[in-house]
Amino acid sequence: MHLWIIPVLPLAGAAINGLLGRRFPKALVNAVALGSTGASFAMALWVATQFAGLPPDQIPHIERYTTWLSAGPFSAEYGIYLDQLSVVMMLVVTGVGFVIHVYSVGYMEHEGGYYRYFSYLNIFMFFMLTLVLANNYLLMFVGWEGVGLASYLLIGFWFLKKSAADAGKKAFITNRVGDFGFLIALFLLIKHFGTLQYENLWKLVSLHPVESAGAGLLTAIGLLMLVGATGKSAQIPLYVWLPDAMEGPTPVSALIHAATMVTAGVYMVARSSPIFNRAPDAMLAVAIIGTLTAIFAASIGIVQTDIKKVLAYSTISQLGYMFMACGVADYVGGIFHLVTHAFFKGLLFLAAGSVIHGLGGEQDMRYMGGLRRYQPYTFWCMTAATFAIAGLPPFAGFFSKDRILWSAWSSGAPVLWVIGLITAGMTSFYMFRLWFLTFFGEYRGPNPATGGHGQDTDAQHAGRTGAIHDAQDAHATGGSHGHGAPHESPWVMVIPLIVLAFLSLTGGWIGIPHSLNGGDRFGHFLDPVFQAAAVQTPAAEAAVPPAEAPAEHEDASTELVFTAVSVAVAALGLLLAWWMYYKRPEIPERMARAAGRLYTFVLDKYRVDELYGAVIIQPLIALSSNVFWKGIDRGLIDGAVDGGAAGARETSDAMRQMQSGNIRSYAGWVAVGATAVIAFMVWRGLR
């Protein structure tokens, strides 16, 4: 199938624009960037059609090209592993990636470094495709690190803006912490199994018993992989980089921090299902981390006023849902939510970018309002995404979220279901809060004539969190997107919104469960991947939660009751947001004042960043400054070098004093030396 073409096309686009784009007109930069990603998407579609015709015994389809690393008995190939899971990920990355590239043409039109932006975006596509198509863990790790590099470059795209540069560094360093755990896991796999090739590794792992009696090798590997996944997918405790990453351009937030890169951890856990299925303690850790992250991030999102920060914490929370699903062995549900989330969260970020573009850079929802009259296309598209993420039927998010909640209940973990249900209600509330604050009521933004603002209706913060980016240096301020009265975005930005809105509505229909008279086609498509990884022994069945798809559950009536409950909770969130932010807009301010310090504590994101700063960052700075720099570097190393130099200087100075230029003095020294030599010779002769 020549699968190597799919990742190489974006790489070629990145190289052309990166090396020559400075000399290109924008039209040519667009042609290279969009042409390469569009061709990659077209190739992915063709490959998917070819894959659909393969007989089961030829799946996975593996293409091997070369051995790029060999060390003793260990070797790693450059090859591509195509099964149902990698087909889904390939289509999501190329399809959503191409749509966001199109949107970027309009959003970044007036920005400096235009060619550089698209070069970075293309290089991200290459590494992400390498990650999901790799046929071994080492090649996956190359893509894993590559998307981290691309994320750093894109978050810090406006590199003269300190907050953006700091956010890029924070993302890069935080991910390195997680990557350390992933690397140790790979070392353990090499040590004990001698290979990182999927097809060989799964055969060896299948011979390993389920570690039901306690922690063992596979549990250790699974937990270390989870450390890597928490970094890349922004889960507790390594989630802190993603909210700050909103400093990058909004299309970057949509592509990297909503639709693709942050889902790499979920993909890695799902791909590693043969390991996790035999390590129930590691699976339990995945479920707990995901569940806690989901409700924790949702609680912060409720009080944020920056439209992108709300979506950032929403992303962290939704990723928690995906981890919850994988932790209860419903890998299909986790990947299903990954796909629908790519549609509606990508749309939410792009619609937010359209709002920001139409308001000249404004990101604070308290200075919005009534925008449905000014931006009708953006409004309707964001409406579709909001209903989807809230879990209301028949939108895409309803089917995937409902499946996860049902999986949590049917796995025998009702506490996970309760927390997931509460989180679903919170999600609906803060998303409709965003919807009402942004599009309803009266416009509260700057008056074009006076520059003043209207009355705040959601006094959530002492100062504005999203300043209007209006300065001459786009790199220093984060860009400028127009001035004057609010206005709709250009068609090059609106059309991608419409495409994603359609997918946010219909994308979940491929997974309609049997309880709702659907065929669960998505589940049946992915089932072979995870059924092959399932543990077949009785002990394993007792130790590992059943991986039965919720759509195939015998008690369909019970499932319908739980579905009705989740819809009711989502509707309750909508009604509460309507009452507080549309019907009685003075209520939120009164509640904030009544909550006092508790409200401030949540608004300050539970001061986790400050805690990390006090417990980890400041001690490290003090250690490196006082011990390593002043003590070891300056005191020991520089001291030894400087001391040697001082000694040489003093010795040479003393020797210099002997060179007086006086002939009598020289003659005297010669006489003294000759006397000393003669005395020494006489003394030796007498002995």
Side-chain angles (χ1 to χ4, degrees), residues 335-522:
I335 298 300
F336 187 24
H337 198 56
L338 183 156
V339 173
T340 61
H341 181 264
F343 299 151
F344 62 70
K345 185 54 65 62
L347 174 57
L348 283 170
F349 269 109
L350 295 188
S354 181
V355 169
I356 294 168
H357 182 277
L359 296 180
E362 181 63 74
Q363 294 183 202
D364 195 323
M365 295 184 297
R366 295 170 301 163
Y367 301 100
M368 297 179 186
L371 294 183
R372 71 184 189 278
R373 296 188 296 272
Y374 302 97
Q375 298 181 303
Y377 294 107
T378 299
F379 165 70
W380 285 111
C381 290
M382 198 165 207
T383 298
T386 303
F387 276 74
I389 191 174
L392 291 169
F395 294 88
F398 160 73
F399 299 102
S400 57
K401 187 177 293 186
D402 185 65
R403 174 174 181 137
I404 292 174
L405 290 174
W406 176 245
S407 296
W409 176 267
S410 59
S411 69
V415 65
L416 299 183
W417 176 80
V418 172
I419 297 175
L421 187 67
I422 295 172
T423 303
M426 295 168 69
T427 302
S428 177
F429 172 75
Y430 68 66
M431 285 308 306
F432 281 107
R433 168 182 177 264
L434 179 152
W435 190 59
F436 283 115
L437 282 175
T438 304
F439 294 104
F440 290 84
E442 297 299 322
Y443 177 57
R444 302 178 299 274
N447 186 321
T450 64
H453 287 78
Q455 179 68 32
D456 295 348
T457 61
D458 183 25
Q460 303 286 354
H461 200 275
R464 296 174 61 188
T465 59
I468 296 179
H469 302 311
D470 181 16
Q472 293 180 351
D473 188 350
H475 291 297
T477 65
S480 177
H481 301 286
H483 308 278
H487 56 85
E488 185 60 272
S489 298
W491 281 107
V492 72
M493 295 172 61
V494 170
I495 291 175
L497 298 183
I498 295 173
V499 171
L500 290 176
F502 175 77
L503 293 173
S504 296
L505 171 62
T506 64
W509 297 356
I510 58 174
I512 298 176
H514 293 289
S515 62
L516 296 176
N517 298 320
D520 190 18
R521 289 172 293 173
F522 188 82

Side-chain angles (χ1 to χ4, degrees), residues 507-579:
W509 297 356
I510 58 174
I512 298 176
H514 293 289
S515 62
L516 296 176
N517 298 320
D520 190 18
R521 289 172 293 173
F522 188 82
H524 290 310
F525 178 72
L526 278 181
D527 276 342
V529 177
F530 303 113
Q531 287 175 354
V535 182
Q536 303 300 330
T537 64
E541 293 175 358
V544 180
E548 177 187 89
E552 298 174 352
H553 199 276
E554 295 179 357
D555 193 355
S557 61
T558 303
E559 185 176 349
L560 285 175
V561 172
F562 280 84
T563 298
V565 170
S566 66
V567 173
V569 168
L572 180 62
L574 188 162
L575 293 174
L576 187 60
W578 170 81
W579 181 68

